[in-house]
């Protein structure tokens, strides 16, 4: 995978870290690059987990029409990544930048970060996922406080309401991201992918249909090499071999 | 009636379902699941029972599926059919009377998913919850990917399911998974008694209807829920 302009990529073991280098950018200018990277991630059997380093980004510019947002939705790109995604953020994480982190599966933030979603006060109502995802992450009440009252949360409050999963010192941000990715990449890639799929399926259906889908995904895994060798190792009290993603 | 891996008793309006496979830390075998289903269906039909309590008498609530049965079926199709035939999880989800789980020790995999399918969770401080499936290259199959989202947020659900990290009682309480916790197991039993006494005098149909309405309204669109609310109030 080649480095892209605006974006640098670190590929290590079974994980990948995508760093966005621009301090400020408009979604339509990064959409194409990001889309091609995500297509590669989804099809590359050797990438199991994905990290997004957004600590360089200060601001993502607003798009001024619904049509532009629909065509260049960064949220839809991220939500379509089949593998677990961890986001790294720091500083002023507001509006579109915060919105970009919402479809990620785990968010790590620097201790001095703060979070706002105040588009409404900037005469801009063009959301790219915030009204859908924020209530599901922090609950409807907190989401209304952020979106409708423009309430700012510091990092500790953001951790408490579940907007972020982990807080770390600025000096440990990248190290923590690497550790988390490495930790995740020890798990079964197929099981992680299918589990993520089942959870996200719940966003568009009811529990009974979700349970049926979960059952189908379970059945697909029954015949996988990783499952067989892992269960056999467990039964024989032996250490399992590293997963292959097969 | 006697079961091999389960116990059951009825005290006033409470049906107590007790996991009784201590040698395997209450690992759920296929036979144990059938026994559980049978008791649950009997509780459903018994109009004297207004609340069901699920608990264990040993140190661990339930360590999940009995993995010794995994990979033991000659055919994938047979294995697949067993998982599809098992309706215990859906029966628990659709069960119209309140279900209380009293937990202690390990609450793992499908043991954890039983807790997620219940209405109230009273936990001893020794309780540790864990969903280890991704470590074993399997996925949850007892509704965990769906029901965890009903109890807590999508972020927490992903953290628990993708990282497979153990969750202690305090964290589980913060996440909204546990309703009450104590270091005193007798106090948990006392709390359950208080709760049972509170609804002792409430008509069974009303209890069932309210639980059903809450389930539908949390699952379906709000307009359907409104219609059902109207229909149920007219019936009552």
């Amino acid at each position: 995978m080649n480095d892209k302009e605006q974006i640098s990529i670190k590929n290590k073991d079974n994980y990948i870290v995508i760093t966005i280098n621009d301090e400020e950018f408009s979604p339509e200018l990064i959409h194409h690059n990001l889309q091609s990277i995500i297509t590669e991630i989804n099809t590359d059997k050797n990438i199991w987990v994905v990290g997004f380093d957004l600590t360089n980004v200060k601001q993502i510019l607003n798009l001024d029409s619904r049509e532009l947002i629909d065509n260049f939705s960064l949220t839809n790109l991220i939500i379509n990544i089949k593998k677990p995604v961890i986001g790294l953020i720091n500083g002023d994480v507001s509006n579109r930048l915060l919105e970009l982190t919402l479809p990620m599966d785990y968010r790590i933030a620097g201790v001095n970060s703060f979070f706002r979603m105040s588009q409404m006060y900037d005469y801009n109502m063009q959301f790219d996922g915030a009204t859908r995802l924020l209530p599901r992450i922090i609950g409807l009440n907190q989401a209304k406080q952020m979106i409708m009252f423009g309430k700012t949360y510091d990092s500790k409050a953001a951790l408490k309401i579940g907007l972020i999963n982990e807080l770390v010192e600025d000096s440990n941000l990248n190290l923590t991201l690497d550790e988390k990715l490495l930790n995740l990449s020890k798990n079964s890639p197929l099981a992680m992918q299918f589990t993520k799929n089942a959870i996200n399926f719940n966003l568009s259906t009811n529990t009974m249909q979700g349970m049926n889908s979960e059952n189908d995904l379970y059945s697909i895994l029954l015949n996988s090499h990783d499952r067989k060798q892992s269960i056999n190792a467990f039964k024989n009290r032996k250490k399992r071999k590293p997963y292959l993603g097969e | 009636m006697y079961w091999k891996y389960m116990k059951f008793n009825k005290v006033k309006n409470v049906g107590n379902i007790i996991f009784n496979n201590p040698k395997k830390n209450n690992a759920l075998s296929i036979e144990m699941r059938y026994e559980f289903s049978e008791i649950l269906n009997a509780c459903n039909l018994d109009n004297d029972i207004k609340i069901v309590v699920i608990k264990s008498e040993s140190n661990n609530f339930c360590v999940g599926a009995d993995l010794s049965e995994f990979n033991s079926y000659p055919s994938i199709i047979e294995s697949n059919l067993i998982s599809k035939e098992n309706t215990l999880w859906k029966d628990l989800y659709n069960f119209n009377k309140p279900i209380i789980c009293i937990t202690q020790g390990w609450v793992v995999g499908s043991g954890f998913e039983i807790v997620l399918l219940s209405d109230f969770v009273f936990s001893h401080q020794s309780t540790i919850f864990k969903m280890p499936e991704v470590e074993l290259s399997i996925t949850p199959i007892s509704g965990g990917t769906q029901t965890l989202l009903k109890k807590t947020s999508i972020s927490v659900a992903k953290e628990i399911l993708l990282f497979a990290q153990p969750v202690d009682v305090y964290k589980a309480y913060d996440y909204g998974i546990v309703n009450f916790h104590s270091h005193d197991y007798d106090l948990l039993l006392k709390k359950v008694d208080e709760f049972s006494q509170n609804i002792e005098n409430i008509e069974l149909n009303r209890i069932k209807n309210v639980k059903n309405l809450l389930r539908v309204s949390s699952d379906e669109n709000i307009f359907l829920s409104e219609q059902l609310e109207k229909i149920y109030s007219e019936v009552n």
Side-chain angles (χ1 to χ4, degrees), chain B residues 123-142:
Chain B
S123 291
H124 185 256
Q125 280 175 2
S126 63
T127 305
I128 298 172
F129 300 93
K130 182 174 159 105
M131 292 295 284
E133 283 80 351
V134 290
E135 291 176 340
L136 295 161
S137 200
I138 53 178
T139 57
I141 196 183
S142 319

Side-chain angles (χ1 to χ4, degrees), chain A residues 138 142 153-164 167, chain B residues 174:
Chain A
I138 60 174
Q142 303 282 6
Y153 287 85
D154 65 19
S155 56
K156 281 185 184 161
L159 182 68
K160 197 170 176 213
I161 62 170
L163 184 57
I164 52 173
L167 263 186
Chain B
D174 285 345

Side-chain angles (χ1 to χ4, degrees), chain A residues 105-107 136-137 165 184 187-188 191-192 194 198-200 202 206-208 210 212 214-216 218-219 221 223 226-228 230-232 234-235 240 243, chain B residues 67-68 70-71 76 79-80 83-84 89-90 93-94 134-146 149-150 153-155 158-159 161-163 219-220:
Chain A
D105 304 309
Y106 192 90
R107 287 166 288 278
R136 289 178 163 91
I137 293 170
N165 300 78
L184 266 188
N187 292 334
S188 154
M192 284 194 293
F194 283 25
I199 299 169
N200 284 346
N202 185 279
N206 63 34
T207 305
M208 286 301 272
N212 287 335
E214 186 188 88
N215 207 315
D216 290 340
Y218 179 89
S219 302
L221 267 187
N223 210 18
D226 284 347
R227 181 192 184 276
K228 281 182 193 163
S230 154
I231 296 292
N232 283 337
F234 185 89
K235 283 165 74 172
R240 69 161 171 80
Y243 287 125
Chain B
L67 293 182
S68 67
F70 282 35
N71 288 2
I76 288 293
S79 198
N80 205 339
S83 71
K84 291 226 189 285
W89 320 120
K90 286 177 185 169
Y93 179 71
N94 289 314
V134 290
E135 291 176 340
L136 295 161
S137 200
I138 53 178
T139 57
I141 196 183
S142 319
T145 60
Q146 311 301 304
L149 272 83
K150 299 284 172 207
S153 72
I154 189 165
S155 291
K158 284 180 175 173
E159 197 174 323
L161 291 163
L162 294 174
F163 283 87
D219 236 7
E220 301 294 345

Side-chain angles (χ1 to χ4, degrees), chain A residues 38 42 73-83 85 103 196 200:
Chain A
I38 288 170
N42 278 341
S73 165
L74 298 181
T75 296
N76 286 347
L77 280 184
I78 306 291
I79 219 164
N80 285 325
I81 300 177
K82 293 175 182 169
K83 296 152 189 191
V85 178
K196 177 173 172 169
N200 284 346

Side-chain angles (χ1 to χ4, degrees), chain A residues 26-240:
Chain A
S26 182
E28 77 261 40
L29 297 178
I30 205 167
H31 186 273
H32 180 73
N33 274 350
L34 211 49
Q35 189 170 37
S36 63
I37 292 167
I38 288 170
T39 305
E40 282 187 59
I41 288 171
N42 278 341
T43 50
D44 189 334
K45 222 183 99 184
N46 296 313
I47 299 173
W48 298 359
V49 196
V50 181
F52 261 96
D53 181 352
L54 301 171
T55 51
N56 297 322
V57 182
K58 303 271 183 271
Q59 190 185 10
I60 302 178
L61 299 173
N62 284 325
L63 294 170
D64 42 17
S65 79
R66 189 69 240 169
E67 196 183 5
L68 279 174
I69 291 187
D70 291 344
N71 283 318
F72 300 108
S73 165
L74 298 181
T75 296
N76 286 347
L77 280 184
I78 306 291
I79 219 164
N80 285 325
I81 300 177
K82 293 175 182 169
K83 296 152 189 191
V85 178
I86 300 180
L88 190 67
I89 37 184
N90 198 18
D92 178 0
V93 186
S94 299
N95 300 329
R96 292 247 176 270
L97 176 56
L98 177 56
E99 213 165 23
L100 180 62
T101 70
L102 298 180
M104 297 180 183
D105 304 309
Y106 192 90
R107 287 166 288 278
I108 302 168
V111 282
N112 297 313
S113 305
F114 56 96
F115 305 84
R116 267 183 305 134
M117 187 65 77
S118 55
Q119 278 107 315
M120 216 171 88
Y121 292 86
D122 302 332
Y123 304 99
N124 189 311
M125 282 285 288
Q126 306 288 351
F127 290 104
D128 182 15
T131 57
R132 279 179 285 150
L133 296 171
L134 202 54
R136 289 178 163 91
I137 293 170
I138 60 174
L140 189 57
N141 192 29
Q142 303 282 6
K144 281 180 178 169
Q145 290 208 50
M146 281 197 93
I147 294 173
M148 300 180 82
F149 291 106
K151 187 175 175 180
T152 302
Y153 287 85
D154 65 19
S155 56
K156 281 185 184 161
L159 182 68
K160 197 170 176 213
I161 62 170
L163 184 57
I164 52 173
N165 300 78
E166 191 170 345
L167 263 186
V168 288
E169 293 293 335
D170 291 2
S171 55
N172 284 335
L173 279 164
N174 292 90
L175 183 70
T176 307
L177 177 65
D178 275 342
E179 277 174 3
K180 284 283 163 195
L181 291 166
L182 188 64
N183 195 7
L184 266 188
S185 62
K186 286 174 186 160
N187 292 334
S188 154
L190 293 175
M192 284 194 293
Q193 196 173 314
F194 283 25
T195 301
K196 177 173 172 169
N197 186 329
I199 299 169
N200 284 346
F201 190 68
N202 185 279
L203 298 175
S204 60
T205 189
N206 63 34
T207 305
M208 286 301 272
Q209 284 172 339
M211 284 170 95
N212 287 335
S213 158
E214 186 188 88
N215 207 315
D216 290 340
L217 289 166
Y218 179 89
S219 302
I220 296 170
L221 267 187
L222 276 177
N223 210 18
S224 72
H225 167 274
D226 284 347
R227 181 192 184 276
K228 281 182 193 163
Q229 74 96 359
S230 154
I231 296 292
N232 283 337
F234 185 89
K235 283 165 74 172
N236 297 320
R237 297 176 189 274
K238 284 183 181 166
K239 199 180 169 202
R240 69 161 171 80

